[in-house]
Amino acid sequence: MIEQNLSLLLVVIPLIAAPVTAMLPAGRSPWLFTLAITWICFALAIWQLTIVIDGSTISYELGGWAPPWGIEYHIDALNALVTLIVSGIAAITLPYALLTVERDIPLRETSLFYAVFLLCLVGLLGIAQTGDVFNLFVFLEISSLSSYVLIAMGKQRRALTAAYQYLIMGSIGATFLLIGIGLVYAETGTLNMQDLHQRLQPILDHRTVHTGFVFIVVGIALKLALFPLHLWLPNAYKYSPSAISVFLSATATKVAVYIMLRMVFTVFSTSILMITHTEFIFLTLGAFGVVVASTAAIFHYDLKRILAYSSIAQISYMVMGMGFASKLGITATVVHVFNHALMKGALFMAAGAIVYRLGSSKFENIYGIGRQMPWTFAAIFISGLSLIGIPGTAGFISKWYFMLAALEQQAWLFALVILLGSLLSVVYMWKIFEALFFHRPACSAPPVTEAPLSLLVPMWVLVLANIYFGINTELTVGVADTAVRLLGVTAYHE
Amino acid sequence: MIDTIIGHYNYWIVILLMMAGFYTVINRGNLIKKIAGLNIFQTSVFLLYISIGYVNEGTTPIIAKGFTSYANPLPHVLILTAIVVGVSTTALGLALVVRIKRAYGTIEEDEIHDKDMSL
Amino acid sequence: MSDQHLLLLSVFMPFAGAFTLVVFRHWRNLREAVTLVTAAAVCLIVVTVFMRFNSGTLMAIDIAEPLPGLAIRFEVESLGMLFALVASLLWLVTSIYAIGYMRKHHEKNQTRFYAMFAIAIGSTLGIAFAGNLFTLFLWYELLTISTYPLVAHTGNKKARRGARTYLSILLGTSIGLLLFAILITYTVTGSLDFQEGGILAGKLDPAWAGLLYALFIFGIGKAAVMPFHRWLPAAMVAPTPVSALLHAVAVVKAGVFTILKVTIYIFGTDFITSSGASDWLVWFAGSTILLASMIAMVQDNLKLRLAYSTISQLSYIVLGALLATNMSLLGGALHVSMHAFAKITLFFAAGAILITADKSNISDMGGLGRAMPITFTAFLIGSLSIIGLPPFGGMWSKWYLGMGMVETGQWLLLTVLLVSSLLNIAYLLPVPVRGFFGKAKDGTEYAQIKEAPVNCLIAMMVTSVACVLLFFHPDPFYELAMNIAGKK
């Protein structure tokens, strides 16, 4: 019985758990309850992946109403992978959150914090499960609104303005998405993704369809933080509570990438990219994003800010992969969605550990901390190497596929941009390594010890995952291959 | 030609409201005015959906004797959902503004920016 | 023990050693013992691998397949065997030297030093035994990263700046050029396997071969072909054992080793000669030989002089690869071993002088040879081997390189070879000459200065004796090199 309702359970369980959490007394119990819920979701996600990993699909009708009239949850390998990432990151963030949330959030607000966290999880999992575009919009707004709240709970007052700016930009993006959905609905009369795909095929050259497509793409681009719509991201990641930086950096933008993939390739089909010249826009904006964001990262002196700009650059890579619009390109994007979640999760966890001990992530306060917190520093080092793309780490696998996708199409300029991005990431990562390890400690710094175990263990799980998935790519590349096949993307032809 | 322009007046209103709202969001420095602009922007989208849902000679989508053609009820339902989303966003935004006022003492964007930079 | 496990053990034992010595970090003698035992064990394992390889067993193992069609593969072939023997033997010798050096010099962070050293050697063996270009690239990058903390060891501003130059040039070339070349090779041929006769012939338009080959040559920054050579003098801020083993043997030889492997097993010597891929690249190698020698002559700091000498000597090997004839490949491969033993002797001596007499500039070393006769004699022997005079091993490699140039009618390059040998004399011999016959700058008599610590002396004597021994008995290196050259 559970197996048939898997996809619904993934959404309903955290949804019901959220108000329950809000009512729990402040202290450890909301945390414990949320921990149990996230681990249950993770187990369900693994179960779901084992079902669809061979290429089959699950089709779940909500309330028994048959699609396209009813809302359908349509799960294939790509859905399952994104669900796995979101629930997995949530599951690993919760043990980490115990101590950092105690530091960051006032005691009486913790039950509400965890309740909103579960709502965010509902939103993200719902996006990954649903097969109906309007349902997607609703879940997107649920996750976005919860994330505005979560970011605003950061300690400094700038968290409020960061959340506000994100709210304004995010709502504009969601509204654009709504407009796009409306236009597409006007042309086809359906909201079901599979049905839309059938009905849009013969009318792909209609101007209304193009307009709808463009609104959808721009709307999602705002959520993705694609250059130049990325301005909300650095502040949002920097000022949010540590656990939220970890969770959002590893999931929110990846889910937006998933939405883009679903919309572009499943709903509209690959040829829309050529017709509207969007592939060129993806490639160009992606290339700019890589170079501009990586360069910006080099000039900052705050650990969390550098990591935020680095995230923008990595997302630009994923968009470039979509721009290549070939089997290799989309495989690269999907693999990088997984790998980046591991990398950035580990890096933000380490940054959070430093903030936990020292209260700041500005370089002037944390010089030389690597010597006193060797395990945290080693985590930053290895995840940093993965970000740069050193062979033996997960990041290398993604880079390899991006480069192959570029070389397959003889897109020399974009191949060089990808390499340049790697080299720039060497510069800013090494700036971090040097500042944390070799630099003289700041005079005002109090002596500190290593981060507590409950922060170190989740961190190192992610770090070791980086290495594991750099050597054994059966899961990541295998699922990506299946997903790409089901998306209907073929290898590049001349 | 004139027919097209006048016949589609609801779409012109949609565009007008959309641009007015968007302009307010971008141009106004007052945080509450931005939220107001966002609301206007979202309202225009509601109008768009309802306009699409109109069926020629259709009446309100409640089953009644003597009517065979009804307007499409689905966009109405979608808009209800979108209105709820819009209301939640507005509520959240205004709550943030209250907290910002408490923390900064002002709700003008440039003054907030100055206060942040001066630290 | 099965062949495959032995092969794996040879690469991963240094890592196990690194881990163990970190565990023992608070007991100094135990820690140094771990280093020595690990080095000796690795030596033994590599020699055993060599003996099994000689008896004809094929030793290969795949341990993972990160990318479809690209496995992490270890395989033993002649060139890799040669490199592995040199690296493992010299690690043992250097460990003995390093213990004496680090203690006399009261260096800090010694555990980190020995651990990273072991990891660097493990990576070197990974490069030596790599069975395809992907595996080689993986260990190549790990070598760069594991040697960074060794270069930046002292942690002061100068060391950090030097380490920054080191890293930016090595990672810049490896990511920007070498990875690009590897990807192009993979896109064109669909594989990165090492095969006799190369994998590019017939798949790549010969017109592009030169460009791809250049990407490889300049991308393999560890070979220090100009203009990507500045990392080597920058790395001299490291403690001398690092300069000795890594930057005279492991890192730099990894660079030229990779060039040789790419030349023989990716391009194939026939493809190189028929496509003329190296026609204009030989001039870069030739100029590097001359320019580096000339820069070496004006360096007063001994380690810097030796660094530029290394740059020059590396291009001999690069030239051997570029010319791609039997003789030149034989000479190049042989020079990997001959130069290693000779240069490490020179660096050992330089380090000994540094920690005993606290002198690093040659102009200060007048008369020092009379106080440190063993050190300076070792230096003399090393110099004569580099110059290429009998009865020292270096003569053989120079001989075959020269024969290779005669074979192909490259008279200009032969002149470069002879001129640079003269320059070798000019920048190497003044050191021992001044040491034995010169007068100290400030007129002091070196009564108080005794010889270098015992460990350092033993190491120096072993390697200088090896230089002589290799003249009379150049096998097994000769035989291994012959195998490579014979495979055309």
Side-chain angles (χ1 to χ4, degrees):
Chain A
M1 208 264 304
I2 296 185
E3 176 162 350
Q4 287 166 311
N5 295 317
L6 258 183
S7 31
L8 188 63
L9 282 175
L10 275 165
V11 174
V12 162
I13 290 182
L15 184 60
I16 297 183
V20 172
T21 317
M23 293 190 291
L24 288 173
R28 289 276 161 103
S29 40
W31 171 79
L32 202 57
F33 187 60
T34 315
L35 182 77
I37 298 293
T38 50
W39 282 14
I40 292 174
C41 289
F42 186 44
L44 290 176
I46 295 176
W47 190 350
Q48 188 175 70
L49 185 62
T50 54
I51 300 178
V52 293
I53 200 162
D54 55 359
S56 53
T57 59
I58 301 177
S59 181
Y60 182 84
E61 303 160 4
L62 245 63
W65 296 102
W69 312 118
I71 294 178
E72 180 196 11
Y73 281 6
H74 184 95
I75 317 290
D76 65 13
L78 185 58
N79 298 71
L81 183 68
V82 175
T83 312
L84 184 75
I85 296 171
V86 172
S87 55
I89 295 288
I92 200 89
T93 307
L94 255 302
Y96 179 85
L98 175 62
L99 286 179
T100 57
V101 167
E102 278 179 12
R103 231 7 120 73
D104 288 334
I105 314 279
L107 185 62
R108 57 186 172 81
E109 289 178 20
T110 41
S111 341
L112 294 172
F113 173 84
Y114 284 111
V116 178
F117 182 87
L118 282 170
L119 281 177
C120 193
L121 188 63
V122 168
L124 292 171
L125 286 177
I127 295 174
Q129 297 286 303
T130 187
D132 179 289
V133 291
F134 196 79
N135 206 221
L136 183 96
F137 166 75
V138 172
F139 278 124
L140 181 64
E141 280 301 81
I142 293 177
S143 69
S144 302
L145 286 171
S146 338
S147 43
Y148 307 150
V149 173
L150 291 170
I151 293 173
M153 290 178 101
K155 274 173 105 161
Q156 302 170 315
R157 67 181 185 182
R158 281 190 79 169
L160 296 168
T161 44
Y164 182 86
Q165 192 187 20
Y166 185 19
L167 184 147
I168 297 291
M169 288 185 84
S171 303
I172 295 178
T175 314
F176 275 1
L177 181 62
L178 192 59
I179 297 174
I181 292 175
L183 289 173
V184 164
Y185 174 70
E187 280 273 346
T188 59
T190 174
L191 293 169
N192 180 293
M193 287 182 194
Q194 305 295 319
D195 201 26
L196 270 173
H197 180 76
Q198 312 275 19
R199 296 200 185 204
L200 277 173
Q201 288 290 57
I203 54 169
L204 273 180
D205 47 350
H206 284 196
R207 198 182 298 161
T208 319
V209 172
H210 295 180
T211 318
F213 177 69
V214 169
F215 269 110
I216 290 176
V217 166
V218 175
I220 303 175
L222 265 164
K223 293 283 179 184
L224 262 182
L226 176 62
F227 177 90
L229 303 169
H230 63 282
L231 297 167
W232 57 268
L233 197 146
N235 280 339
Y237 283 12
K238 155 107 180 102
Y239 294 109
S240 53
S242 304
I244 299 305
S245 302
V246 172
F247 183 63
L248 287 181
S249 70
T251 58
T253 35
K254 315 293 157 306
V255 173
V257 171
Y258 158 75
I259 302 177
M260 187 75 95
L261 280 171
R262 205 30 103 205
M263 287 302 209
V264 170
F265 294 103
T266 303
V267 173
F268 281 92
S269 91
T270 324
S271 36
I272 192 78
L273 287 177
M274 271 62 97
I275 301 175
T276 54
H277 302 296
T278 315
E279 47 174 3
F280 179 68
I281 295 178
F282 277 168
L283 281 173
T284 317
L285 287 181
F288 269 107
V290 169
V291 176
V292 169
S294 303
T295 315
I298 297 176
F299 289 105
H300 280 281
Y301 284 90
D302 180 301
L303 180 59
K304 281 178 90 169
R305 227 181 248 288
I306 295 182
L307 293 176
Y309 277 103
S310 166
S311 287
I312 300 176
Q314 298 296 315
I315 291 163
S316 306
Y317 276 126
M318 296 181 217
V319 173
M320 279 179 83
M322 283 194 267
F324 288 126
S326 61
K327 188 160 177 294
L328 278 174
I330 309 295
T331 311
T333 302
V334 173
V335 169
H336 203 43
V337 163
F338 186 87
N339 291 337
H340 184 242
L342 296 176
M343 286 180 229
K344 263 307 153 38
L347 281 169
F348 269 107
M349 278 193 180
I354 294 180
V355 170
Y356 183 78
R357 281 294 186 217
L358 281 177
S360 160
S361 62
K362 286 205 173 80
F363 276 4
E364 63 197 9
N365 300 89
I366 62 174
Y367 276 129
I369 193 72
R371 294 223 198 84
Q372 295 173 294
M373 300 175 75
W375 285 98
T376 310
F377 178 73
I380 296 184
F381 189 71
I382 298 180
S383 321
L385 289 183
S386 188
L387 196 74
I388 293 171
I390 297 290
T393 59
F396 177 72
I397 307 290
S398 323
K399 283 282 154 59
W400 180 265
Y401 273 106
F402 280 123
M403 284 298 295
L404 278 185
L407 288 179
E408 187 194 29
Q409 302 186 14
Q410 312 208 310
W412 305 112
L413 185 61
F414 294 112
L416 286 176
V417 164
I418 296 172
L419 287 176
L420 180 63
S422 258
L423 290 173
L424 288 172
S425 63
V426 171
V427 179
Y428 63 69
M429 277 325 292
W430 232 269
K431 187 171 163 177
I432 294 178
F433 298 155
E434 264 196 30
L436 290 183
F437 201 81
F438 283 112
H439 210 276
R440 247 178 316 108
C443 320
S444 55
V448 293
T449 50
E450 180 57 83
L453 262 182
S454 77
L455 297 189
L456 279 182
V457 171
M459 201 193 301
W460 272 91
V461 168
L462 286 178
V463 168
L464 291 174
N466 260 306
I467 300 181
Y468 177 77
F469 285 108
I471 303 199
N472 180 339
T473 56
E474 249 185 76
L475 176 68
T476 44
V477 174
V479 174
D481 268 344
T482 318
V484 167
R485 194 169 25 101
L486 292 172
L487 278 177
V489 184
T490 49
Y492 178 74
H493 302 293
E494 264 301 310
Chain B
M1 210 339 232
I2 304 282
D3 224 13
T4 323
I5 298 181
I6 301 198
H8 289 106
Y9 69 94
N10 46 346
Y11 293 108
W12 292 112
I13 296 179
V14 167
I15 296 175
L16 195 68
L17 281 177
M18 200 186 287
M19 290 303 112
F22 201 31
Y23 177 77
T24 313
V25 173
I26 298 176
N27 194 35
R28 290 288 162 210
N30 183 302
L31 296 184
I32 295 188
K33 289 191 185 169
K34 280 186 193 285
I35 296 182
L38 193 60
N39 257 302
I40 300 174
F41 182 53
Q42 286 171 333
T43 310
S44 72
V45 180
F46 305 158
L47 279 178
L48 176 67
Y49 266 70
I50 300 176
S51 307
I52 303 173
Y54 181 67
V55 172
N56 253 340
E57 310 301 331
T59 180
T60 48
I62 300 173
I63 297 188
K65 278 216 246 318
F67 291 100
T68 45
S69 175
Y70 302 97
N72 190 343
L74 185 56
H76 298 208
V77 168
L78 299 180
I79 289 312
L80 282 173
T81 316
I83 291 176
V84 170
V85 172
V87 166
S88 323
T89 312
T90 308
L92 179 55
L94 290 174
L96 275 175
V97 173
V98 169
R99 289 284 296 275
I100 290 178
K101 170 81 180 180
R102 219 181 283 159
Y104 283 90
T106 170
I107 54 172
E108 291 293 330
E109 202 184 15
D110 34 11
E111 286 175 29
I112 295 175
H113 186 77
D114 288 337
K115 289 204 175 180
D116 281 329
M117 289 300 116
S118 66
L119 271 160
Chain C
M1 184 180 289
S2 88
D3 297 332
Q4 300 178 314
H5 290 154
L6 202 62
L7 191 54
L8 272 186
L9 198 61
S10 67
V11 176
F12 286 103
M13 172 133 269
F15 291 94
F19 183 72
T20 319
L21 73 90
V22 169
V23 167
F24 288 138
R25 62 185 176 280
H26 295 299
W27 300 281
R28 290 197 326 166
N29 293 330
L30 199 51
R31 180 189 69 196
E32 325 304 29
V34 170
T35 307
L36 286 174
V37 165
T38 317
V42 169
C43 224
L44 209 62
I45 297 174
V46 172
V47 168
T48 317
V49 169
F50 173 59
M51 294 199 298
R52 292 198 193 180
F53 173 66
N54 251 358
S55 66
T57 353
L58 171 65
M59 303 167 81
I61 179 171
D62 288 354
I63 58 173
E65 197 164 321
L67 289 164
L70 293 176
I72 297 182
R73 182 182 169 82
F74 294 110
E75 193 177 340
V76 184
E77 54 77 50
S78 311
L79 190 58
M81 195 69 247
L82 190 151
F83 188 31
L85 278 171
V86 172
S88 52
L89 286 169
L90 288 177
W91 183 30
L92 182 55
V93 175
T94 310
S95 301
I96 301 174
Y97 179 86
I99 295 173
Y101 181 97
M102 299 299 271
R103 293 206 177 175
K104 177 102 167 65
H105 212 218
H106 304 294
E107 288 275 358
K108 296 194 299 254
N109 293 317
Q110 287 193 26
T111 308
R112 182 175 89 203
F113 176 86
Y114 288 114
M116 299 312 297
F117 214 95
I119 295 179
I121 295 297
S123 312
T124 311
L125 287 172
I127 295 178
F129 287 137
N132 59 29
L133 192 50
F134 174 66
T135 314
L136 196 148
F137 183 66
L138 191 150
W139 294 109
Y140 187 92
E141 296 292 75
L142 280 178
L143 185 59
T144 307
I145 294 175
S146 56
T147 48
Y148 172 80
L150 291 170
V151 175
H153 183 85
T154 48
N156 59 32
K157 259 217 162 75
K158 194 155 160 273
R160 274 187 281 148
R161 226 179 317 130
R164 222 177 287 161
T165 311
Y166 180 77
L167 196 80
S168 41
I169 297 185
L170 283 184
L171 277 185
T173 49
S174 67
I175 296 179
L177 299 172
L178 180 57
L179 181 59
F180 198 26
I182 293 177
L183 279 158
I184 294 178
T185 311
Y186 182 72
T187 314
V188 167
T189 62
S191 116
L192 288 177
D193 292 331
F194 286 138
Q195 267 177 35
E196 301 188 27
I199 56 175
L200 281 173
K203 295 252 175 68
L204 180 68
D205 188 352
W208 292 109
L211 200 57
L212 184 62
Y213 199 36
L215 274 178
F216 271 111
I217 301 289
F218 291 118
I220 301 174
K222 294 197 168 94
V225 177
M226 287 185 172
F228 296 114
H229 64 285
R230 290 235 58 239
W231 61 270
L232 193 47
M236 291 297 123
V237 297
T240 313
V242 178
S243 310
L245 184 62
L246 296 180
H247 299 123
V249 178
V251 173
V252 297
K253 291 303 178 307
V256 290
F257 171 80
T258 313
I259 292 186
L260 281 167
K261 279 283 260 258
V262 165
T263 308
I264 303 174
Y265 295 110
I266 297 282
F267 278 84
T269 46
D270 287 329
F271 187 56
I272 300 251
T273 35
S274 64
S275 64
S278 54
D279 286 346
W280 51 282
L281 286 167
V282 291
W283 300 116
F284 278 93
S287 340
T288 307
I289 296 178
L290 275 181
L291 286 173
S293 303
M294 292 198 276
I295 300 178
M297 285 201 329
V298 301
Q299 295 296 323
D300 193 25
N301 181 301
L302 182 55
K303 278 178 77 174
L304 281 179
R305 185 175 284 203
L306 293 178
Y308 279 103
S309 164
T310 307
I311 297 175
S312 170
Q313 297 288 315
L314 287 174
S315 281
Y316 280 28
I317 306 178
V318 175
L319 210 50
L322 291 174
L323 291 174
T325 70
N326 272 349
M327 288 285 173
S328 69
L329 283 173
L330 176 58
L334 211 51
H335 205 48
V336 169
S337 47
M338 300 303 176
H339 175 253
F341 280 94
K343 217 17 139 349
I344 208 174
T345 315
L346 295 178
F347 271 105
F348 280 165
I353 296 172
L354 183 68
I355 58 172
T356 321
D358 197 28
K359 301 228 176 294
S360 40
N361 285 341
I362 299 173
S363 49
D364 293 333
M365 293 179 191
L368 198 50
R370 295 192 287 271
M372 304 174 70
I374 304 181
T375 309
F376 275 80
T377 314
F379 196 95
L380 183 62
I381 296 179
S383 312
L384 291 174
S385 187
I386 298 249
I387 294 168
L389 294 171
F392 302 104
M395 194 214 95
W396 290 121
S397 41
K398 276 236 167 100
W399 175 260
Y400 285 113
L401 275 171
M403 292 303 288
M405 292 170 192
V406 167
E407 223 179 19
T408 50
Q410 296 269 20
W411 304 112
L412 194 51
L413 287 174
L414 187 62
T415 322
V416 164
L417 190 70
L418 294 171
V419 169
S420 92
S421 296
L422 291 173
L423 289 175
N424 286 351
I425 300 179
Y427 66 68
L428 281 178
L429 279 187
V431 177
V433 165
R434 187 179 274 194
F436 286 121
F437 305 114
K439 270 215 205 344
K441 227 161 97 172
D442 41 9
T444 51
E445 290 298 318
Y446 297 107
Q448 300 94 329
I449 297 180
K450 292 191 294 262
E451 258 290 10
V454 163
N455 296 32
C456 304
L457 286 179
I458 295 177
M460 270 188 277
M461 290 197 284
V462 167
T463 54
S464 27
V465 164
C467 286
V468 178
L469 213 62
L470 282 171
F471 176 76
F472 296 104
H473 294 284
D475 35 307
F477 297 128
Y478 181 74
E479 274 171 23
L480 286 171
M482 273 294 280
N483 278 346
I484 302 156
K487 293 186 173 141
K488 211 180 178 295

